[in-house]
């Protein structure tokens, strides 16, 4: 993309200003944690090496750092943010482990999401919405990235099973129109009641 072209030109002129970050794996090899775009830019610029900083991190800590470095990109797609938040939350939960008897976590309390909300500047609700996007079939997720489907309708569609989601994709392709938030709410209600058939999706989308 255009950003990568500019990065390649910058690397050719000035080299890599900030080193990439790697960690040593259990088998002795090194794994790139942050700096994937810088590495790719060096490859495209014809460089054979990339200056790196070695950090002492386990796999979960490396995942957290990798996701944080992604947040700093100037543009990030909703799908990228969705999977980044999901990976980050899973890593944070594994890092926290099970609470001790003296430090019980109240039922329903999600400290990982609360911490991530504080770090990212997004609300817990918005983070939960992004994570829901990871349940969409690729075609619907692409529509979200393109801006054809907004966040809230996309979240409602994420509760449908794969077959129903693909029926929605077929209707979008046939009518060249995406469902409104109200239409997706109805689809989810029908799905929860076991009544969401192909015909029901067609009827809702044609209104």
């Amino acid at each position: 993309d255009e950003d990568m072209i500019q990065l390649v030109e910058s690397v050719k002129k000035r080299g890599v200003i900030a080193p990439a970050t790697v960690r040593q794996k259990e088998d002795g090899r090194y794994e790139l944690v942050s700096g994937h775009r810088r590495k790719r830019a060096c490859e495209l610029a014809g460089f054979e090496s990339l200056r790196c900083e070695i950090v002492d991190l386990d796999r979960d800590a490396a995942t957290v750092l990798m996701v944080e470095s992604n947040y700093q990109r100037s543009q990030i797609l909703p799908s990228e943010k969705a999977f980044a938040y999901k990976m980050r939350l899973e890593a944070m939960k594994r890092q926290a482990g099970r609470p001790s008897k003296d430090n019980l976590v109240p039922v329903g309390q999600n400290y990982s999401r609360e911490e991530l909300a504080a770090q990212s500047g997004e609300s817990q609700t918005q983070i939960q919405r992004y994570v829901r996007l990871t349940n969409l079939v690729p075609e619907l997720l692409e529509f979200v990235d393109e801006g054809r489907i907004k966040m809230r309708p996309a979240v409602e569609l994420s509760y449908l099973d794969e077959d129903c989601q693909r029926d929605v994709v077929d209707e979008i392709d046939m009518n060249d129109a995406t469902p409104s938030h109200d239409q997706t709410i109805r689809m989810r209600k029908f799905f929860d009641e076991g009544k969401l058939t192909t015909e029901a999706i067609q009827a809702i989308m044609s209104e």
Side-chain angles (χ1 to χ4, degrees):
D1 57 19
E2 188 175 342
D3 285 346
M4 178 58 74
I5 293 171
Q6 292 176 357
L7 182 57
V8 171
E9 290 304 313
S10 174
V11 166
K12 284 180 179 178
K13 292 178 182 178
R14 292 180 287 273
V16 175
I17 298 171
T21 305
V22 297
R23 77 176 186 103
Q24 190 166 22
K25 298 168 64 177
E26 290 73 15
D27 61 7
R29 294 183 300 161
Y30 290 90
E31 179 177 53
L32 193 63
V33 177
S34 68
H36 296 80
R37 289 174 66 82
R38 278 166 282 170
K39 175 179 178 290
R40 181 60 180 152
C42 285
E43 291 172 347
L44 293 173
F47 291 7
E48 294 184 356
S49 62
L50 170 64
R51 188 161 58 96
C52 296
E53 175 188 15
I54 303 171
V55 292
D56 185 17
L57 298 172
D58 61 22
R59 184 176 179 81
D60 289 333
T63 298
V64 170
L65 181 59
M66 181 185 70
V67 172
E68 283 180 345
S69 68
N70 257 331
Y71 293 155
Q72 295 173 12
R73 281 172 46 195
S74 58
Q75 292 183 337
I76 180 168
L77 295 172
S79 62
E80 293 175 322
K81 189 177 284 192
F83 283 101
Y85 280 150
K86 184 177 181 180
M87 287 174 62
R88 176 75 186 273
L89 285 171
E90 289 173 350
M92 290 170 74
K93 287 175 183 176
R94 286 194 298 268
Q95 281 183 316
R98 294 182 179 276
S100 65
K101 291 181 180 179
D102 298 328
N103 186 27
L104 295 177
V105 175
V107 175
Q109 182 69 49
N110 191 328
Y111 285 118
S112 296
R113 194 183 300 153
E114 185 178 315
E115 184 182 349
L116 182 53
Q119 293 173 0
S120 66
E122 305 232 41
S123 68
Q124 293 187 56
T125 301
Q126 188 70 350
I127 289 172
Q128 187 175 11
R129 286 175 182 148
Y130 272 113
V131 173
R132 282 300 318 173
L133 298 184
T134 63
N135 295 292
L136 291 173
V137 296
E139 295 88 342
L140 289 178
L141 196 53
E142 188 173 341
F143 288 147
V144 177
D145 283 342
E146 293 171 350
R148 293 184 63 187
I149 298 181
K150 301 300 182 184
M151 175 68 79
R152 292 197 172 188
V155 169
E156 296 296 333
L157 293 174
S158 74
Y159 287 95
L160 310 183
D161 63 20
E162 183 176 344
D163 289 340
C164 289
Q165 288 189 37
R166 295 204 177 278
D167 283 341
V168 173
V169 172
D170 290 342
E171 285 302 304
I172 291 173
D173 289 341
M174 287 179 63
N175 300 311
D176 194 27
T178 55
S180 66
H181 188 205
D182 287 341
Q183 288 174 326
T184 57
I185 289 174
R186 290 187 60 196
M187 288 181 197
R188 181 180 171 186
K189 183 174 183 293
F190 275 41
F191 179 77
D192 291 341
E193 296 172 350
K195 300 176 182 177
L196 189 62
T197 61
T198 302
E199 292 73 21
I201 291 173
Q202 291 172 345
I204 293 171
M205 290 279 288
S206 64
E207 294 175 354

